[in-house]
């Protein structure tokens, strides 16, 4: 069975109004394995207003991997839908 491997991490840059400096929040790298038959991956608990970098590749039975496709996506603002989905 071929598995599609999706790794992603987020970077949120913002101005801390309390101390007046720019700060960066990192949503640490995560990995999801998805059967090749699935066409949609739903991700929950993403940080609002954050740019996520996705790397998508296939892992084959013989241990080899296909080429990596990269995708950058920014999540919506707070109060809106915070669960984003990415179609593979």
């Amino acid at each position: 069975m071929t598995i599609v491997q999706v790794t992603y991490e987020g970077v949120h840059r913002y101005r801390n109004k309390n101390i007046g400096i720019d700060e960066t929040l990192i949503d640490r790298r995560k990995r999801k394995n998805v059967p090749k038959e699935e066409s949609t991956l739903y991700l929950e608990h993403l940080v609002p207003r954050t740019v996520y970098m996705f790397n998508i590749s296939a892992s084959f039975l013989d241990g080899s991997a296909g080429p990596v496709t990269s995708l950058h996506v920014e999540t919506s603002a707070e109060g809106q839908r915070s669960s984003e989905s990415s179609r593979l």
Side-chain angles (χ1 to χ4, degrees), residues 12-88:
H12 177 71
R13 291 186 175 85
Y14 63 98
R15 181 128 185 110
N16 186 324
K17 295 176 185 174
N18 294 327
I19 55 178
I21 63 171
D22 293 333
E23 294 189 332
T24 301
L25 170 90
I26 304 293
D27 191 4
R28 296 173 57 142
R29 180 173 292 198
K30 298 173 184 77
R31 179 186 318 185
K32 299 280 185 178
N33 290 328
V34 182
K36 72 174 185 172
E37 296 80 19
E38 296 292 324
S39 62
T40 303
L41 171 64
Y42 291 97
L43 302 172
E44 298 180 340
H45 310 296
L46 298 179
V47 178
R49 294 185 181 163
T50 300
V51 175
Y52 281 86
M53 287 75 59
F54 290 85
N55 292 310
I56 305 164
S57 66
S59 298
F60 301 105
L61 288 174
D62 65 4
S64 64
V68 175
T69 299
S70 296
L71 173 69
H72 290 195
V73 178
E74 185 170 359
T75 55
S76 302
E78 285 188 71
Q80 297 178 0
R81 183 178 168 189
S82 62
S83 176
E84 299 292 322
S85 63
S86 178
R87 184 169 295 279
L88 302 176

